Amino acid sequence: MVIALMISANVYAQKEYKIKLCKDAMTDKEYAFGSKYILCTSSDNKKGFSVSVSWNIVNGEVTYSGLIVKSIGIGTCNEKDKLIILFDDGTKYSSISWNDFNCDGNSYFDLQRADYETICHGSMSAIRFTNGRSFDDLTYTLTTDKDYFIQVKNALANKLFVNSSCN
């Protein structure tokens, strides 16, 4: 599964980040989601995690909603997980997940949506995800997508929106 995620991530790695918009034909609810994510895997591809930005649409305006981490093989259940991002300038972003206990590998960060400028300020060199229950972790050194959050900020500022299907 991790290898399949890596292949699809490599396809996305060549594209500029865009914000995809869709409208559910049945409910008329509008959604926004990113066109790519960061994939971080261990050298043996037995564990990994992805990092993506969550978006909201409020009164027709796309807004940042937080960060989502999906982990595989880093502990079994998740709660109070920790995400640390090391930037090239030596600064760090650190956050604890706010969502309840789950065994699906889902972790959500930045509930107050206050960290957008902090995570988008510069190029990244490494990301660490630590499972808050088992304390298993994975540190990934970035070689591609170092400017992922810069691309995210650019996409929102320049309204790089594309219509997409909600399927």
Side-chain angles (χ1 to χ4, degrees):
M1 180 187 279
V2 173
I3 292 172
L5 286 173
M6 284 179 52
I7 292 169
S8 65
N10 285 336
V11 171
Y12 283 121
Q14 304 303 320
K15 298 180 183 178
E16 180 180 32
Y17 187 95
K18 293 184 173 68
I19 300 170
K20 295 181 175 185
L21 306 174
C22 72
K23 185 174 185 176
D24 185 302
M26 302 302 279
T27 64
D28 291 329
K29 183 160 173 58
E30 295 178 302
Y31 298 94
F33 50 97
S35 63
K36 66 182 192 175
Y37 52 87
I38 302 170
L39 182 65
C40 307
T41 61
S42 61
S43 57
D44 62 4
N45 292 325
K46 291 188 177 181
K47 60 183 182 176
F49 62 93
S50 64
V51 180
S52 61
V53 173
S54 176
W55 300 102
N56 278 335
I57 299 179
V58 179
N59 298 324
E61 187 79 22
V62 177
T63 61
Y64 165 79
S65 179
L67 298 175
I68 300 171
V69 172
K70 177 72 175 175
S71 61
I72 299 171
I74 307 172
T76 53
C77 295
N78 299 75
E79 182 177 42
K80 295 184 174 77
D81 300 327
K82 187 171 189 177
L83 182 68
I84 302 173
I85 300 172
L86 175 63
F87 293 92
D88 286 341
D89 66 3
T91 60
K92 295 175 190 166
Y93 166 79
S94 182
S95 186
I96 304 292
S97 63
W98 56 263
N99 57 305
D100 292 331
F101 172 82
N102 75 89
C103 295
D104 300 322
N106 299 321
S107 304
Y108 304 101
F109 298 86
D110 195 15
L111 175 64
Q112 304 302 319
R113 297 178 286 287
D115 299 338
Y116 182 72
E117 291 299 325
T118 302
I119 62 172
C120 294
H121 89 274
S123 182
M124 301 174 287
S125 56
I127 303 175
R128 174 178 291 160
F129 175 79
T130 303
N131 181 301
R133 289 185 58 80
S134 67
F135 302 105
D136 291 341
D137 68 8
L138 175 64
T139 301
Y140 183 79
T141 301
L142 291 144
T143 55
T144 60
D145 288 326
K146 292 173 68 84
D147 66 343
Y148 174 81
F149 290 117
I150 296 169
Q151 288 184 39
V152 164
K153 186 175 183 177
N154 182 57
L156 183 60
N158 294 303
K159 299 189 184 302
L160 297 179
F161 303 143
V162 293
N163 290 323
S164 183
S165 170
C166 282
N167 296 335

